[in-house]
Amino acid sequence: MNWRKLNRWIHRELGFLFFGMTIIYAISGIALNHSVARHWNPGIITRSAYYQYPGTLTHGDVDREDIELILEITGEKQNYKQYYFPDQEHLMVYLKGGHILVNLGSGHIELTKIRNRPVFNELNYLHYNKPKKLWTWFSDLYAFSLILIAVSGLFLIKGRKGISGRGGILTLIGIVIPLALLFIYLWL
């Protein structure tokens, strides 16, 4: 078996083997990039609804009946966990799957429901290596294989379209762009 044939075989077989992992990391990577930029949260879906308490409350006067009325107004009686006062002007009611924030002075109620975002939550679980154990070793094998796929890809095509021609120019551009952006973000 000659070197070029072995190179093509490595590139092809590893590409097939790690297709699923590449899709997992690509989708979750895009989602996490936008999460860091605060465009959205890929792990959870948050929905808010607004209500009005009939009257006003004061920090010292809130009792179980007030909490039950707030839970009735929001339709969250079955999800109640506990409550506390983050400050003198607000009441926080914790729920299974969310919370209620009450402005004591105005009676303004904000219900926030939180649930896992389907698919993205699971992909992020893998991307962040939360399973640990065997997943860590499989991810390391994948990372090493990505290096092999990248290097073997450089030598798939000969001639002016390969690494000694247009492919080399594109490779150089692909190296310079991240280095230039790194320089801009770290030193400018």
Side-chain angles (χ1 to χ4, degrees):
M1 185 179 277
N2 69 26
W3 179 85
R4 194 165 288 285
K5 195 171 185 180
L6 176 64
N7 186 60
R8 278 195 308 271
W9 182 84
I10 288 170
H11 188 82
R12 181 186 65 238
E13 300 304 315
L14 289 178
F16 286 143
L17 179 63
F18 289 109
F19 171 81
M21 284 288 284
T22 302
I23 297 301
I24 287 169
Y25 276 90
I27 291 171
S28 62
I30 291 168
L32 293 172
N33 281 345
H34 291 276
S35 170
V36 171
R38 305 273 190 250
H39 296 150
W40 74 314
N41 185 330
I44 60 172
I45 297 171
T46 304
R47 298 280 184 250
S48 293
Y50 302 93
Y51 303 90
Q52 185 64 42
Y53 187 83
T56 59
L57 298 166
T58 57
H59 181 274
D61 294 336
V62 173
D63 59 17
R64 181 70 183 171
E65 288 179 15
D66 296 318
I67 301 299
E68 287 181 12
L69 180 55
I70 291 166
L71 293 169
E72 188 176 315
I73 290 169
T74 59
E76 293 295 328
K77 272 189 173 184
Q78 72 282 4
N79 294 321
Y80 174 73
K81 289 170 78 175
Q82 67 182 32
Y83 74 92
Y84 91 106
F85 298 93
D87 56 45
Q88 293 293 319
E89 295 148 11
H90 294 93
L91 164 68
M92 178 72 77
V93 180
Y94 286 110
L95 308 168
K96 294 175 200 156
H99 63 270
I100 300 169
L101 181 64
V102 181
N103 183 307
L104 298 173
S106 69
H108 180 75
I109 300 171
E110 180 180 0
L111 167 65
T112 303
K113 297 293 287 183
I114 301 167
R115 67 181 176 91
N116 288 339
R117 188 177 299 278
V119 180
F120 287 101
N121 188 56
E122 290 78 12
L123 295 179
N124 291 343
Y125 177 79
L126 295 174
H127 196 120
Y128 279 129
N129 191 20
K130 289 186 179 177
K132 308 271 189 255
K133 303 174 186 168
L134 188 57
W135 183 256
T136 299
W137 293 103
F138 187 65
S139 294
D140 288 347
L141 177 63
Y142 171 64
F144 178 73
S145 295
L146 278 180
I147 294 168
L148 290 176
I149 290 168
V151 171
S152 64
L154 294 175
F155 303 102
L156 287 177
I157 300 174
K158 291 191 229 179
R160 61 186 181 94
K161 291 184 180 178
I163 192 72
S164 60
R166 187 181 72 192
I169 294 168
L170 290 173
T171 301
L172 186 60
I173 291 169
I175 293 169
V176 168
I177 289 174
L179 291 176
L181 291 173
L182 181 64
F183 177 79
I184 289 168
Y185 292 132
L186 292 180
W187 292 291
L188 296 181

